[in-house]
Every structure is written in C-alpha cells, then in structure tokens.
Amino acid sequence: MQNGLIVISSIGSIAILFVLIPLLFGSGSTMPPRLPETIPFISNTFQASVNPKAFYARALKTMQRLDTEILRFRLAGRQAFLVVGEKKTNTLFRLNSGLSVDYYYHLLVKAIIDPSERDMQRLLTDVSGRAKVPLPGTEHIAEKDRLWAAWHRIFTENLLQTIPTQDMAALFLANFAAKVTELFNVGEWSTIRVVEFLDRHQTECAARTINGSRVFEENPEYFDLLKEFELGIIPIAFGPPKWMNPKPHRARDKYLAMNKKYVTNALRDFDWNSPEASAPWEPVFGSPLIRAVIRWGLDINLDIDTISGFFGVQVINGTSNTVPASAWTVVSTLTCPDPELLTNIRREAEAAIAVDPKTGERVFDVQKLAASPWLQAVYTETLRLRSGFCIIRDAVRDTEIDGVSIAKGAIVQAPIPIAHHDAVWEAEGYAVDEFWPHRHIKVVGSTDEKGHRAEKVEFALGNRSGYYFPYGGGITMCPGRHFAKLEIMGTLALLVTQFDIEVVGWVKHDGSPSDREARNGVGMAVYHPDRDLKVRVKRRY
C-alpha cells in the first residue's frame, strides 16, 4: 500500500490525497516492509490465528523475497512486527529493552495453574522481574514480595546447575532402563509403535523422576487426564471464553482437582525435618525441585489451590515437549537417508555406558552423552524442525530494535518456524525442511609428527544463534532445557543400545497403515508426530 490514498472525485476529477498510512503505521520511509494481505487489517490476523503454520511460511517467503529481517503487520488492531536474525532477536531477550513477556506469561499461568484470585493478584502485582536486581522503577517492592525472583532462583539452583541436573537425568535413565527390563525379555522379538511406546512409558518415567511416584500410584487415571489437559492449554490461554469452549476447561479442572487432593493429603504427613526432605529423591514429592516449589508456596502463604497447581504444572513441563521430541529423534534416526546414522548414534551411546564391576549393571555417563557429537546433532536437528512456538513480547514503552522504532503498545514476535527454516540452515543436497543432522557436524583433521592423518567429528551449531532458540532466550529461557536435552538424547541412546531394531513402516495412531511419513501435528512448544512408526525390537541385554 502506498503512503496515501488517492480518491478521484466524480465531479471535475479532482484528486484529493489523504495521508492515511503515516497515521496508522508511521512514516513509510523509516518503517520496515509490510506483510501483504488480501483484506487490509483482517487477513493477517485471521490467518495468524487459525493457521499459524501457513502464516509463518508466507512471512518467511516474504522476508526472503524482500531480503529483510523484520516485517510489520496489524494483529487484532495492534501494530505488530515479525523479526529474525541475531541482532533483532536478541533484543527480545535483553533485560530493560522495553519489551516484556509478562502479559503472555501470566496468561499461561492463569490457564495452566488457575491460581486463586488472591494469589493471581499477588503474582500480577510483582513487576520487579526475575533477576536478582529488581527492574528500574520497582526498587520499592519488598524482597519478600518479589515472588518471581524467588521462583527463578529455585529453578536456577535445581535445574541450571550441573550436578543436580545430571543426577536427575541419571535417575530418569535408570527408571526407563528398569521399565524396559520389565516389559521385554532378552533375545525375544516384539512389535511396538515408537510414539505410542514413548508417550506411555517415557512420560511415566520422567514424571516419576520429577514429581515422585506416589501421586501416580494413588491416581491411576493421572496420565489420561494429563494428556486431555495438555491439548487444552493453548485454547484456554489464547482461545475463546469458557462458555464457548468448555471441554478444555473441564479437563483442566479435573486435572487440577486431582493434584489438589493429592498435595493436600501429602502435606498432612510430610515431615520437612526428616532425612527424606533433603534426599536426592523420595516418593511423595520426588525431586528437590518439587520440594523447593512446594516449600516456596508454603513460605509465602499461597493458597493450596495455587500450590497444587504449581505441583501439577511440573509434570507438564517435564513431559509435554520432551516426549514428542524424543519420539522425533528416534523415528527420524531410524528413517534417515544416511544408513550410517544409526551406527554412529549407537557407537556413541555405547561409549557412554559404564559397567559396575560388582553388580554388572550398565549405567550411562550422562556427561559423556551430553558431549556426543552425533547425538547432539540429531537432538539439534529435531528441535530445529519440530519446534513451533513463537517468542512474543509487548512494548511497554517506546523502544527500538536494531534501529527500527517500536512504539509503546506494539507486539513483537520472533517465530521459531521462521528462524529455524531460514536459508542459513541450507545444506548441499538437503532442503532446510528435511531432517539432516549432518548440517551440525564438521570433520576436523590433524596430522602427527610421522605424517599420519587422523580425523574426528565435532558438533558445530555455527554462527547461527539468531536463528536457533528452541527454549527462548534471556532470563525467561526455559530453565529445564539442560535436563530436557539429557532426557531426549538419553532416551534415544537407551533405545538404540538396548534393542536391535527393524523398521516395519509408518502407521496412523490407531495402528492402521499410513501412505506417508510423519509430519508436524499439534503441540505446545514441540509438535507431536501425526503418524507413528511401527518397529520390531529385540532386547540385547
């Protein structure tokens, strides 16, 4: 659209120039390109709401055609920007940038946890940020009322430090290995569907590792209600009101009621002065992370509804994205065009296994797993292709992004589907939308004094940080990302070392044959595969 609208009068053909665009968008000479739409002010909003995949694909093509890292459009009547690239994206992750995530974070808290009105107001009132130093202008907020800073500290201590994260990952892998031993006999062939198998058993093992075992033993329907609720989170947070779409709200209410009943009863008997309260794991509240979350809620006098909501959300945090991501790593590895990929993965995984000389038990050295190049490459390629959420920020004051003026009230988005499919990810012979972990591998050669040449492979993300951020960025970056990485890579490593595997073929989720491979389906941050892979497995030891 040009910087004005020419209306030709039918009387005298007098041209009258109305300068409307500068009023709506600012000066066209300084603003970035606009994302075209068929019906002005309507088409982009409609497509972004009902078909975000198509919306982001169209925006990416427009960015590439115009050779720009920023587009503007109108979203529900508000000025909005789509950004990609290191400079622009990293602005969203900086403290004090004038861009805030709080509004959207609070929507999710309300949708998933449904705190009491009193507690929700307390959470909304704390605008001091998550960092140790409060945001400018909020220094008056007392330390005891800085709820989000204390919350952030809990996750920093329990999920961002190496030892507790590796301990939790090792416990998860031990639980999963025990489950495999329980379900399969050595040397016998069985047929499973990969996605179904992980959806059931990885979910259970991860949830027990994080939240303890008793809540699931006392509530056999827990995982069924969890799955129903997961599908409803986005509609609850960003969709129509409850009276227009009651189903996801009912699923949420059942799930939260179950957690409330459990936490209420568990707290009556739990001794915070007992050795179990400081143990690496215990059955009632599981990990130190969960005990710290519950202790935080009790210390600041949150209502039991809110505390139990925070308890239940950790099951979602620990499974809703890692399980589908793990499924993608397995099915993609087994069907990769390179037949050597599975061999490379298995070799790395076996090299990370340690055998106890007394018991003969095989355990993974999770530190070695985390440093394995091919495992890292598959993990990275999976999150590149299968992450589908969008980083969103509100401009709470006039600011700028890489020289572009952003007015207060605007929305800024950094969509992962755009960044992760940018041309920077091209690899010779393989399009950006194809699974090819080799794009994250480089071969390094060296020659010794006798002239002998040696080569090794290394994982290399390259200089593409502005185009890869599956966990977000800045202080609000997902605190569970290190555990998630170990869980996803460890699941793949466990399966390829425990089993000989033969691919049968792609099937639909009801088990019937499929005429195509899996594509991205629904999901929160990671898309679920919309197909399953049937395989024959034989336990090796």
Side-chain angles (χ1 to χ4, degrees):
M1 186 178 291
Q2 303 298 316
N3 287 349
L5 176 63
I6 299 178
V7 179
I8 306 300
S9 170
S10 61
I11 302 176
S13 297
I14 302 175
I16 304 175
L17 181 64
F18 292 92
V19 188
L20 296 180
I21 296 303
L23 296 177
L24 292 172
F25 296 122
S27 172
S29 61
T30 60
M31 294 296 281
R34 186 174 63 86
L35 180 64
E37 56 186 334
T38 306
I39 306 174
F41 313 114
I42 296 177
S43 298
N44 283 332
T45 294
F46 180 77
Q47 188 181 42
S49 302
V50 303
N51 192 353
K53 290 182 186 178
F55 176 75
Y56 294 137
R58 181 166 62 89
L60 175 58
K61 289 181 179 179
T62 304
M63 285 180 157
Q64 292 172 337
R65 176 171 56 85
L66 299 177
D67 191 23
T68 182
E69 292 184 336
I70 184 167
L71 284 176
R72 59 187 169 97
F73 68 106
R74 301 293 289 189
L75 182 63
R78 295 174 65 185
Q79 179 72 287
F81 298 85
L82 296 172
V83 301
V84 72
E86 185 171 6
K87 284 185 178 180
K88 294 176 176 62
T89 300
N90 286 346
T91 302
L92 277 65
F93 302 145
R94 291 205 306 262
L95 289 174
N96 306 325
S97 66
L99 302 172
S100 173
V101 70
D102 288 348
Y103 173 75
Y104 304 100
Y105 193 85
H106 293 154
L107 279 180
L108 286 172
V109 167
K110 180 62 178 174
I112 302 175
I113 298 172
D114 195 22
S116 65
E117 291 187 13
R118 179 186 74 99
D119 289 343
M120 191 69 218
Q121 188 56 46
R122 292 178 65 191
L123 295 170
L124 290 172
T125 301
D126 176 18
V127 293
S128 63
R130 295 162 178 77
K132 183 177 181 180
V133 178
L135 292 171
T138 66
E139 295 86 354
H140 63 282
I141 296 179
E143 190 63 29
K144 66 180 180 63
D145 296 323
R146 299 197 64 219
L147 308 185
W148 293 118
W151 172 262
H152 181 74
R153 188 162 56 248
I154 289 172
F155 284 84
T156 298
E157 294 171 353
N158 290 280
L159 283 179
L160 291 179
Q161 295 184 9
T162 301
I163 292 178
T165 302
Q166 291 185 351
D167 287 348
M168 192 181 297
L171 178 58
F172 159 73
L173 289 172
N175 288 340
F176 205 178
K179 177 59 68 174
V180 168
T181 300
E182 173 190 331
L183 295 173
F184 301 94
N185 295 322
V186 174
E188 294 183 3
W189 284 98
S190 303
T191 300
I192 65 171
R193 303 202 298 267
V194 173
V195 178
E196 178 189 52
F197 176 80
L198 295 180
D199 201 39
R200 179 182 302 174
H201 299 299
Q202 182 188 349
T203 298
E204 176 186 350
C205 292
R208 289 176 182 270
T209 299
I210 298 170
N211 283 61
S213 57
R214 187 173 298 178
V215 63
F216 310 110
E217 294 166 356
E218 295 182 3
N219 298 279
E221 74 280 22
Y222 197 101
F223 293 109
D224 291 334
L225 291 180
L226 171 67
K227 293 302 177 185
E228 290 181 24
F229 177 32
E230 278 183 1
L231 295 175
I233 290 174
I234 299 303
I236 292 174
F238 303 104
K242 182 176 182 178
W243 64 270
M244 292 182 64
N245 190 20
K247 184 178 179 180
H249 291 267
R250 286 198 299 267
R252 189 267 311 273
D253 293 345
K254 287 182 181 178
Y255 178 74
L256 292 180
M258 178 174 54
N259 283 285
K260 178 182 177 180
K261 179 181 178 181
Y262 174 76
V263 172
T264 301
N265 293 334
L267 283 174
R268 292 193 184 112
D269 302 323
F270 194 76
D271 183 0
W272 291 98
N273 296 314
S274 67
E276 289 78 12
S278 57
W281 186 89
E282 48 81 26
V284 180
F285 292 129
S287 63
L289 169 68
I290 298 300
R291 294 195 295 273
V293 166
I294 291 178
R295 187 69 261 174
W296 167 76
L298 294 172
D299 290 344
I300 63 174
N301 195 30
L302 293 180
D303 295 330
I304 191 62
D305 303 72
T306 310
I307 294 174
S308 56
F310 277 115
F311 171 85
V313 77
Q314 302 315 316
V315 182
I316 296 172
N317 289 343
T319 62
S320 63
N321 295 308
T322 54
V323 174
S326 298
W328 277 117
T329 66
V330 176
V331 301
S332 299
T333 296
L334 295 176
T335 59
C336 180
D338 179 9
E340 295 299 315
L341 179 62
L342 176 58
T343 301
N344 291 330
I345 292 293
R346 181 171 281 152
R347 182 177 60 250
E348 285 187 346
E350 288 176 339
I353 293 176
V355 179
D356 188 313
K358 295 182 179 179
T359 65
E361 181 183 2
R362 299 168 182 256
V363 295
F364 278 110
D365 182 331
V366 293
Q367 191 171 4
K368 282 188 177 181
L369 275 183
S372 302
W374 283 107
L375 278 165
Q376 289 187 84
V378 169
Y379 160 81
T380 300
E381 185 72 343
T382 295
L383 293 191
R384 186 185 73 81
L385 288 174
R386 309 307 177 186
S387 300
F389 73 101
C390 182
I391 309 296
I392 307 177
R393 299 289 189 267
D394 272 334
V396 294
R397 66 171 186 268
D398 290 347
T399 185
E400 69 172 41
I401 296 179
D402 195 21
V404 175
S405 297
I406 306 295
K408 178 181 178 180
I411 303 170
V412 183
Q413 300 183 352
I416 283 180
I418 291 180
H420 287 195
H421 288 79
D422 191 89
V424 300
W425 297 108
E426 289 179 351
E428 185 176 355
Y430 293 91
V432 294
D433 59 350
E434 292 182 83
F435 177 82
W436 190 243
H438 303 59
R439 69 182 90 233
H440 312 297
I441 290 290
K442 68 176 181 180
V443 179
V444 180
S446 61
T447 304
D448 62 19
E449 63 276 4
K450 295 182 179 181
H452 297 144
R453 179 76 175 172
E455 292 184 342
K456 66 175 181 178
V457 297
E458 293 182 354
F459 171 75
L461 185 62
N463 187 25
R464 297 177 284 205
S465 63
Y467 299 88
Y468 183 76
F469 40 91
Y471 295 104
I475 197 168
T476 58
M477 183 184 292
C478 174
R481 60 191 181 275
H482 300 311
F483 174 70
K485 179 180 180 179
L486 292 173
E487 180 185 341
I488 295 166
M489 292 171 57
T491 295
L492 175 60
L494 177 68
L495 295 184
V496 300
T497 53
Q498 286 270 25
F499 294 113
D500 290 326
I501 307 175
E502 295 180 355
V503 173
V504 177
W506 292 103
V507 296
K508 299 177 182 178
H509 287 299
D510 62 5
S512 61
S514 172
D515 59 355
R516 63 169 176 83
E517 62 185 14
R519 298 172 184 164
N520 291 335
V522 298
M524 290 182 62
V526 174
Y527 297 118
H528 289 247
D530 73 345
R531 292 291 188 271
D532 209 333
L533 187 67
K534 182 181 288 188
V535 298
R536 296 180 71 237
V537 297
K538 181 176 69 173
R539 194 176 135 210
R540 305 171 78 193
Y541 55 83

